[in-house]
Amino acid sequence: MVIPFFREILRNLGSYFLMVYYSILGISYLKREEILKQLEFFAISSLFIVALAASFTGMVTSVQSAYQIRDLLPLDLLGAGVGKMVTIELGPVLTALILAGRAGAAIASEIATMNVTDQLDAMEVMGIDPYRYLILPKVVAGTLVTPLLVVFADFMAILSSAIVSKVMLDVEYSTFLRSFQDYFYLKDFLGGLLKGVVFGFIITTVSCYMGITSREGARGVGLATMRAVIYSSVFVLFFDYILGSLIYG
């Protein structure tokens, strides 16, 4: 029971790394038009939901941080606390989980549908490498655009937090901003960007892998989509712990 389980894990890991390897082999043939198309898919279509989620997260972070530090520290330090929480942890992880649920599910569904309807086999028969033309542009675009969305999420969360701090907690904008600037470290910001790069790569490669390994017709497409979201989210949280320990530990 245990041995077949680990054998299946190793088989999937081997297939996953082979997919990544075959995709990277086509990097020199990458077309700019296809990259731009995928960048639009990841960035433009995800912008509104990222802005909405980041804004509400910034608001609740401001209120709950004030509640926790009220008897320990002055509220003048609210900007520093919120800024660090957002740039180090909330911005990268929140953005990645949103992309896993939206872009990851869409990628897995698209490739799985092509797989169960034999379109991937048809591409190979016509001499078109599906790793190069289908998977690689999605992986490159997702890896490039995720850190940019992290920066956007950081900005929206801190902005909404500053507004709530002024309206509900009577913390002046200048006080909030000065506190944020005094305790801002470039390492915090760059660590969040690095997380964005790694998370973007994980979401796209895992979602593509779930798509190309799908089976069983329409049911297989549904399972591939569900597994893409679940496995992407779990791996994002796992590597968040690894990266957090390496960078800030």
Side-chain angles (χ1 to χ4, degrees):
M1 187 70 181
V2 176
I3 293 178
F5 174 73
F6 283 105
R7 186 185 298 157
E8 185 66 15
I9 291 177
L10 290 175
R11 187 188 67 78
N12 277 299
L13 279 176
S15 300
Y16 168 79
F17 284 117
L18 279 176
M19 182 204 74
V20 173
Y21 173 71
Y22 289 141
S23 302
I24 291 175
L25 285 180
I27 193 74
S28 58
Y29 301 97
L30 202 57
K31 293 184 177 179
R32 187 175 60 182
E33 295 77 13
E34 190 60 31
I35 289 290
L36 292 175
K37 180 182 172 185
Q38 295 298 327
L39 284 173
E40 181 182 5
F41 165 72
F42 275 96
I44 305 301
S45 56
S46 302
L47 213 55
F48 177 71
I49 186 66
V50 169
L52 201 63
S55 298
F56 284 123
T57 301
M59 293 178 194
V60 73
T61 301
S62 190
V63 173
Q64 292 188 357
S65 297
Y67 172 75
Q68 292 176 28
I69 70 172
R70 191 179 298 275
D71 297 328
L72 304 172
L73 297 168
L75 289 182
D76 292 352
L77 294 174
L78 201 56
V82 171
K84 284 193 174 294
M85 279 191 284
V86 167
T87 54
I88 291 175
E89 184 68 18
L90 294 179
V93 174
L94 181 70
T95 304
L97 293 180
I98 290 172
L99 287 179
R102 193 205 158 278
I107 289 171
S109 176
E110 176 192 345
I111 298 178
T113 302
M114 294 179 72
N115 190 26
V116 300
T117 53
D118 298 328
Q119 293 182 57
L120 297 183
D121 292 336
M123 289 177 70
E124 292 184 354
V125 170
M126 290 187 292
I128 301 173
D129 185 350
Y131 295 102
R132 181 191 306 170
Y133 290 99
L134 189 63
I135 295 175
L136 184 60
K138 299 182 192 305
V139 175
V140 171
T143 306
L144 289 176
V145 86
T146 304
L148 299 179
L149 286 173
V150 168
V151 175
F152 178 67
D154 289 349
F155 171 77
M156 292 302 298
I158 291 171
L159 177 64
S160 61
S161 176
I163 294 172
V164 167
S165 299
K166 167 63 178 172
V167 174
M168 295 185 63
L169 305 168
D170 201 26
V171 177
E172 294 295 332
Y173 292 122
S174 57
T175 304
F176 186 95
L177 184 60
R178 186 171 59 252
S179 170
F180 173 73
Q181 289 177 326
D182 288 345
Y183 292 92
F184 175 80
Y185 297 112
L186 188 60
K187 178 183 177 182
D188 299 343
F189 179 70
L190 294 179
L193 288 186
L194 177 62
K195 285 185 177 182
V197 172
V198 175
F199 294 166
F201 181 81
I202 289 172
I203 291 166
T204 48
T205 52
V206 169
S207 300
C208 288
Y209 179 72
M210 292 303 161
I212 63 169
T213 55
S214 63
R215 293 292 184 272
E216 304 172 17
R219 181 172 177 271
V221 174
L223 286 174
T225 305
M226 180 187 67
R227 286 170 180 162
V229 176
I230 293 174
Y231 287 119
S232 296
S233 301
V234 170
F235 283 125
V236 161
L237 295 175
F238 173 72
F239 278 95
D240 179 50
Y241 166 71
I242 299 293
L243 291 172
S245 300
L246 292 174
I247 299 171
Y248 309 110

